Amino acid sequence: MKRIIIHVLMVIVGATVGDAFLPEFWVLINQRQFQNNIVVNSFIGALIFLIFSIVFIRLLLNFVDKIDKAVATINIPTITLGFFGGVLGLVVGAIASLPLWILRIPILSTIIPFLLMMLAVYVGYSVSTKREADILKFFSKKKSALVIKPEKTERRDRRKQKGYAKLLDTSVLIDGRIFDILKTGFLDGEIIVPNFVLLELQLLSDSNDNLKRAKGRRGLDLVNDMKEIAKVTVSAKDYTDIHEVDTKLLRYASETGAALVTNDFNLNKVAEIQGVKVLNINDLANAVKPQLIVGDTLEITIVKQGTERRQGIGYLPDGTMIVVEETADKLDKRVTVEVTKSLQTSAGRMIFGELVR
């Protein structure tokens, strides 16, 4: 089918070119009897281009395939800018060719204006597609403002509303602390559990590994328990083109403006990079822990040796790890420690101290 279309187009182009340029050729070779014969000129031009298309059909087919691939990878804004750039180039080329048309000199008044307009069209298209960002920035004063700004504004407006939706990931449901948080009323609004998260929990509950099976069943039971104390919605929305559950969650949160509730440190970082609102339960737990500042003293039991020489490690009742210098030989002993440094991240909190006695 492509071959037939190419041959037909080449015949049409050949007939047009023959009618436009062959009269000048007959004048040059002093054969004026064919100068104004439209039928002969069009037929000769169509025949030449048809022979050309038959001889070089493979090259033309490859060229058409490349055009198809290029068009498939270009987005609509780029195509639109390229079209307007080409039209603008054509107008500029036509205006620049007016003096040559007025001269009415063979070849100079026909072929040169045609080449000049083609060059102007190419330049207009090339500039408008390759400098798309600069053109949008020039008209909007902000890159891609027409596309990005409304989406961000709409998502931000939804988040300003009290009680915007909370999207739960698998790690939160397995962890279980979300149930107690909901009971306290610290999280309001709609609680969304996507169906693809439930499917992941089901896979875990069907696992041969006892630990994974217990986690999966605990997560499924938690969803049922949450329905009794909060507005929980099981969403059937899915993305068949995406396989990773974390990627689906990020896309879901981005499209709906929901806040992603997670315990996953890496997912938290990726969500922040993509501009998705994140509520990390580990951050909440760290925030409500008793704060220890440099100079505070406390008593702990050294339970094991640290990674560095002469260090001992103990734990607070809430699980916070404390690294104490010069206590490697005091295993299972109660010691008094003075806090020298405190580090807190989404992964947890670590305290460093020195032995008092």
Side-chain angles (χ1 to χ4, degrees), residues 327-339:
T327 56
D329 57 347
K330 297 185 181 298
L331 294 180
D332 298 325
K333 293 183 179 180
R334 192 77 173 174
V335 297
T336 302
V337 177
E338 181 179 345
V339 177

Side-chain angles (χ1 to χ4, degrees), residues 5 14 28 34 47 77 80 92 104-105 150 168 173 177 179 186-187 197 206 228 235 258 263 312 320 345 350 356:
I5 294 175
L28 289 176
F34 300 117
L47 182 61
T80 304
V92 173
R104 297 188 178 277
I105 300 176
L168 306 188
L173 294 174
R177 287 178 292 176
F179 182 77
F186 277 101
L187 284 182
V197 170
D206 293 336
E228 299 178 0
S235 173
N263 286 334
T320 302
T345 66
M350 181 182 296
V356 176

